[in-house]
Amino acid sequence: MSFVNQNVKPLNTKRNEAGNLEISGCDLSELAKKYSTPLYVMDEVTLRKMALDYKEAFSIYKNMRMMYASKALMTTAIASIFYNLGFGFDVVSLGEMYILKNAGVDFSHATFNGNNKGKDELEYALENDIARISVDNFYELELLNEIAHEKGKIQKILLRVTPGIECHTHEYIQTGQLDSKFGFDLNMVDEAVSLIIEKYKNIELKGLHAHIGSQIFETQVFEDEIQVLLEEIKRIKDKFNIELNEINVGGGLGVTYVDTDAPPDVYKIADITVKAIKKYCNLYNLKEPILYIEPGRSLVATAGVTLYTIGSSKNIEGIRKYISVDGGMADNPRPSMYSAEYFGEIVNAKTEYIPQKVTVAGKFCESGDILIKDIELNSPKAGDILCIYDTGAYCYSMSSNYNGVLKPAMVLINNGKSDIIVRRQTLEQLIQNDVIV
Ligand code: LLP
């Protein structure tokens, strides 16, 4: 049996009787016709299944707080789905907090992360009674204490630490290694703790936070991370006589973008995490802490696909055939940023199967704007619709208006029903902030 994050395609993806690709009862060529392309499509059924798997897998631990890492995909509708599923949120900016608020989410299960939070952002977080702030550095400790003092509050925090663990993922999405811009190095932790105890009276330290990286396939690194966090808690207990009772282990579980990717499933991660907590709490004689996890990618990637229309093509005899689509690096910068790989398929029915090896290029003025290098597609022609899988995470949230293109719309589908949850940008919106002087 495979779990959502181990599948390339959303649940219930198939060819329908007309021969078109269909997800959750929605014919993708109909969606492309109705909403136009490029189009982000999110399948609610797949998204909910993964969220419920996470909840069930981690229900083996009683002091559990499930958070969704908003940076993977944040829209008002998505926030509201996770809220109704009982998730808290990891937010990293004023904008993400604003979207949460717009979705009617209170901040009682939200953590504010980030390595350079602005004063306005911290103020907004405190005004909205955010549950935790994960403080990243000394500058922030002082700033936060000042703001909390002004507002007459005592803000509960975690300390973000850099556990010195390297995981095998793209170097741009590793975060736990020593040479990282994020968090306190372990040798700075004591100073931070003593400052909080002695000087920063408007801050209450509840626990430690770490995040070791993203798109992780190994399991040992998660155990190592927990060992480091609990060792620190034990050290702090021995030295300062306070026992911190919360750990946030971040996110990072990988997904299958292409067949060769082999991430573990969420039950395995839950098992390893909980066993590691029990093991090291026993060893160090600690109470079992409240556990926060904050996955992003693995909750939303597989539920999302992007639909494009194929336009021009270029055949370089003996070298390669390029086919170009009506989107690219502005709606999905991941291939050009991280050499990320994707799988795709022609949506519309074809009378026969004539495989052709092509490279799928975007429409942007950059040679690096390639969505998929060397993929076999069924005789791709201008006007065909191409579906690229696993685009639910870090595509819309990292999209841009490069080359003056409009950001695509997003539809949420569920059992034959489709609803716009993000409208396509308009030309008016593109220039709405421009000023002529
Ligand atoms: N918690 C913290 C503190 C994080 O920094 C992140 C991701 C997460 C949780 C969620 O990690 P996930 O479960 O999604 O792996 N743009 C890159 C990924 C950057 C991840 C940044 N931090 C990409 O497209 O691959």
Side-chain angles (χ1 to χ4, degrees):
M1 173 172 166
S2 67
F3 294 85
V4 168
N5 70 311
Q6 299 175 315
N7 290 324
V8 173
K9 304 180 185 183
L11 300 170
N12 312 316
T13 302
K14 59 170 194 187
R15 293 262 160 211
N16 60 21
E17 275 168 22
N20 296 330
L21 206 55
E22 171 183 302
I23 299 174
S24 199
C26 289
D27 185 318
L28 299 186
S29 50
E30 296 296 324
L31 291 184
K33 229 180 273 164
K34 183 166 176 191
Y35 300 105
S36 173
T37 58
L39 181 69
Y40 295 114
V41 179
M42 287 302 296
D43 175 31
E44 193 174 353
V45 177
T46 305
L47 187 153
R48 283 181 183 273
K49 171 77 174 111
M50 190 64 199
L52 292 175
D53 276 350
Y54 255 109
K55 286 184 80 171
E56 192 184 308
F58 278 91
S59 65
I60 53 172
Y61 194 70
K62 70 173 186 310
N63 285 324
M64 191 60 217
R65 305 275 189 280
M66 299 290 306
M67 321 285 277
Y68 166 60
S70 314
K71 69 201 82 170
L73 172 67
M74 187 59 153
T75 78
T76 308
I78 297 293
S80 140
I81 291 175
F82 279 112
Y83 187 55
N84 291 327
L85 284 165
F87 276 68
F89 293 84
D90 146 27
V91 288
V92 294
S93 69
L94 187 60
E96 284 186 353
M97 288 188 273
Y98 185 76
I99 299 174
L100 272 194
K101 202 161 175 188
N102 187 44
V105 173
D106 67 71
F107 292 14
S108 60
H109 291 290
T111 304
F112 186 17
N113 290 316
N115 66 306
N116 191 22
K117 303 175 186 81
K119 187 161 189 271
D120 55 336
E121 296 181 309
L122 288 166
E123 282 171 350
Y124 189 85
L126 264 63
E127 280 155 20
N128 286 284
D129 300 320
I130 197 146
R132 297 287 179 274
I133 292 185
S134 174
V135 176
D136 194 274
N137 49 62
F138 291 110
Y139 170 78
E140 187 186 335
L141 270 181
E142 185 168 356
L143 181 63
L144 177 62
N145 187 66
E146 216 174 271
I147 295 171
H149 180 72
E150 273 165 23
K151 296 196 179 300
K153 292 195 166 194
I154 299 197
Q155 180 60 46
K156 297 186 170 79
I157 68 155
L158 306 178
L159 282 184
R160 167 85 181 255
V161 300
T162 319
I165 296 168
E166 276 187 40
C167 48
H168 298 103
T169 184
H170 192 284
E171 71 170 304
Y172 290 1
I173 52 178
Q174 284 182 350
T175 43
Q177 75 280 17
L178 186 61
D179 183 3
S180 161
K181 71 168 180 168
F182 296 106
F184 292 93
D185 292 348
L186 296 182
N187 61 18
M188 300 171 175
V189 170
D190 283 2
E191 190 184 342
V193 174
S194 51
L195 278 171
I196 296 166
I197 296 174
E198 286 159 23
K199 187 167 169 206
Y200 297 138
K201 301 293 176 201
N202 291 77
I203 287 177
E204 182 186 348
L205 179 59
K206 302 294 286 182
L208 301 181
H209 176 209
H211 168 77
I212 49 178
S214 201
Q215 184 61 353
I216 298 173
F217 292 172
E218 308 141 279
T219 51
Q220 183 62 40
V221 286
F222 290 108
E223 178 172 346
D224 295 347
E225 180 189 8
I226 285 165
Q227 179 180 0
V228 170
L229 290 176
L230 292 175
E231 256 169 26
E232 283 302 295
I233 288 185
K234 151 96 171 119
R235 240 183 22 75
I236 293 168
K237 183 179 169 189
D238 291 346
K239 184 159 179 182
F240 297 96
N241 200 24
I242 52 169
E243 183 167 343
L244 301 179
N245 193 36
E246 298 187 7
I247 59 170
N248 182 331
V249 298
L253 173 60
V255 303
T256 301
Y257 286 103
V258 290
D259 275 346
T260 45
D261 292 335
D265 70 73
V266 62
Y267 288 86
K268 180 133 196 233
I269 292 296
D271 187 54
I272 285 164
T273 307
V274 173
K275 279 195 179 127
I277 294 179
K278 292 191 186 292
K279 175 173 158 190
Y280 292 105
C281 282
N282 249 328
L283 192 65
Y284 303 139
N285 197 21
L286 297 170
K287 281 197 271 269
E288 284 179 18
I290 295 174
L291 169 66
Y292 296 79
I293 59 164
E294 44 186 24
R297 182 194 318 269
S298 51
L299 280 165
V300 291
T302 322
V305 304
T306 308
L307 304 182
Y308 301 96
T309 304
I310 296 174
S312 64
S313 58
K314 175 180 177 182
N315 194 17
I316 311 169
E317 214 45 67
I319 299 188
R320 146 187 337 276
K321 179 170 182 179
Y322 288 96
I323 59 158
S324 294
V325 295
D326 54 355
M329 66 189 294
D331 59 78
N332 183 359
R334 300 195 67 260
S336 48
M337 279 185 83
Y338 319 113
S339 310
E341 292 182 291
Y342 285 90
F343 179 68
E345 244 181 297
I346 300 290
V347 165
N348 43 291
K350 301 253 173 180
T351 44
E352 27 173 7
Y353 184 68
I354 311 167
Q356 222 182 71
K357 193 168 149 192
V358 295
T359 283
V360 179
K363 63 173 282 164
F364 296 87
C365 299
E366 304 245 356
S367 301
D369 176 30
I370 300 294
L371 287 172
I372 305 179
K373 206 172 160 192
D374 294 335
I375 181 171
E376 224 162 62
L377 294 177
N378 190 7
S379 53
K381 301 250 176 335
D384 284 349
I385 304 296
L386 178 71
C387 167
I388 295 193
Y389 292 106
D390 288 291
T391 58
Y394 301 113
C395 287
Y396 173 72
S397 62
M398 293 176 74
S399 64
S400 76
N401 288 120
Y402 186 42
N403 286 175
V405 297
L406 305 175
K407 290 194 185 185
M410 187 182 298
V411 294
L412 185 70
I413 60 171
N414 189 338
N415 287 313
K417 205 168 138 286
S418 68
D419 294 294
I420 281 275
I421 56 169
V422 179
R423 289 189 201 99
R424 190 173 300 280
Q425 260 189 334
T426 61
L427 289 170
E428 293 72 40
Q429 288 168 341
L430 194 63
I431 54 162
Q432 74 188 356
N433 296 330
D434 290 9
V435 179
I436 299 173
V437 287

